[in-house]
Amino acid sequence: MLARPRLAAAMPARPASGLVAGLSRHPSGRWGLILALTLGAVAVAGPWLAPHPPNIPDYGAALRPPGPGHWLGTDATGRNQLSRLLDGARRSLGGAALVAVAITLIGLVVGTLAALGARWVDAVVMRAVDVVMALPGLILAFAVIGLLGPGYTNLLIALIAADWAYTARIARACAFEAVRSPAAIVARQIGVPEWRVILHHVLPPVFWPLLVLGTLGLGGQIAAISAFSFLGLGVQVPHAEWGAMLADSRHLFTVAPWLLLAPAACILLSVLASNLLGEALRDLATPEGRS
């Protein structure tokens, strides 16, 4: 959320067919795909893989080190760390994916409408985008949370509100170029309906750059959800989330370091997977990457 990934001004659309094959051939894309699929599978199957209830304390088993029965140990209230890690994956990864998808869709719709609409529509939309972009994303997110109150849902709303404008500006620039492309001009001249021109010649060249941008930004969303939850502004007790787990265990590092290492490693691997996939998608979206 804080550091916006750089994106080329003009990137050709890449067809959906062969995208996974292209990622699997790309050096960083291959590892990013493996990490992303593994983490995604863990997040989806977490409730069935958890060996113990994640939110029920067992004070008699408090602060047990990793071993049989508790492979990642237990926290200060005796809750199984592995179960909480699996349960928290849905909130850390699922929330970040939801924010990234929402930002991409909002940016796609707003940016395309600004590029295709009348001049006054473009002016009004872009002034709204300028106002949002003039505010630092972190400050805007804190303001939204301060207005709505702490909570997981409110945190997701705050992250979407803080980041949609940058995506909308990129979408507008790509849509302006696509609507004036030779293919779109020829399609209009031969009588193709406007909605088909937009569907086939405008939206695809806009969508694929936004896909790259959203993938590159996914790691930032994961880190942001963890950071706000660490501060107590996101996921609330007793529910698990990787950042909240770090906050709960930070004062126990000298006696139970395993409580911090596992969620920190999950955050690191998730951000790494996002960056690897984003870099690979950016390479594949260029002529050199497709050759």
Side-chain angles (χ1 to χ4, degrees):
M1 181 184 69
L2 302 182
R4 304 191 190 278
R6 298 181 62 184
L7 194 65
M11 293 194 308
R14 180 172 179 82
S17 60
L19 181 61
V20 175
L23 287 174
S24 63
R25 290 192 299 267
H26 192 281
S28 64
R30 184 185 310 115
W31 289 107
L33 196 60
I34 292 173
L35 274 176
L37 291 176
T38 302
L39 291 169
V42 167
V44 171
W48 295 276
L49 297 176
H52 299 275
N55 298 325
I56 298 179
D58 180 8
Y59 295 101
L63 295 180
R64 286 188 179 177
H70 299 286
W71 296 107
L72 293 180
T74 61
D75 64 8
T77 61
R79 294 174 297 187
N80 184 270
Q81 184 76 347
L82 177 59
S83 297
R84 291 184 62 76
L85 203 70
L86 294 172
D87 186 56
R90 295 182 300 153
R91 298 181 180 88
S92 296
L93 301 181
L98 180 61
V99 169
V101 170
I103 288 173
T104 300
L105 293 179
I106 293 173
L108 177 66
V109 172
V110 173
T112 304
L113 287 177
L116 300 178
R119 285 190 175 183
W120 69 268
V121 174
D122 183 36
V124 170
V125 171
M126 285 300 102
R127 295 301 76 77
V129 168
D130 290 340
V131 169
V132 175
M133 291 188 65
L135 301 172
L138 182 62
I139 301 301
L140 183 56
F142 272 117
V144 174
I145 293 175
L147 180 65
L148 300 178
Y152 181 65
T153 301
N154 294 342
L155 172 59
L156 301 186
I157 295 173
L159 295 179
I160 294 170
D163 272 0
W164 69 270
Y166 180 74
T167 304
R169 182 168 287 279
I170 296 294
R172 174 181 176 269
C174 295
F176 260 127
E177 182 174 354
V179 79
R180 292 164 176 80
S181 66
I185 294 173
V186 170
R188 289 192 184 92
Q189 290 176 344
I190 63 176
V192 176
E194 187 65 22
W195 67 269
R196 293 191 63 182
V197 174
I198 295 173
L199 186 63
H200 294 286
H201 299 288
V202 176
L203 290 183
V206 177
F207 174 75
W208 288 106
L210 295 191
L211 176 63
V212 177
L213 185 67
T215 306
L216 285 170
L218 184 60
Q221 302 299 344
I222 295 171
I225 290 175
S226 298
F228 277 96
S229 296
F230 182 89
L231 296 175
L233 301 176
V235 175
Q236 302 296 301
V237 293
H239 300 295
E241 191 279 329
W242 294 342
M245 292 172 66
L246 289 175
D248 293 340
S249 308
R250 65 187 185 277
H251 60 286
L252 298 172
F253 180 72
T254 56
V255 295
W258 60 85
L259 296 178
L260 284 87
L261 295 179
C266 289
I267 296 172
L268 175 62
L269 291 175
S270 301
V271 175
L272 178 62
S274 168
N275 291 341
L276 290 175
L277 281 178
E279 293 289 342
L281 284 173
R282 186 171 62 184
D283 291 343
L284 292 174
T286 61
E288 295 81 4
R290 292 197 302 267
S291 60

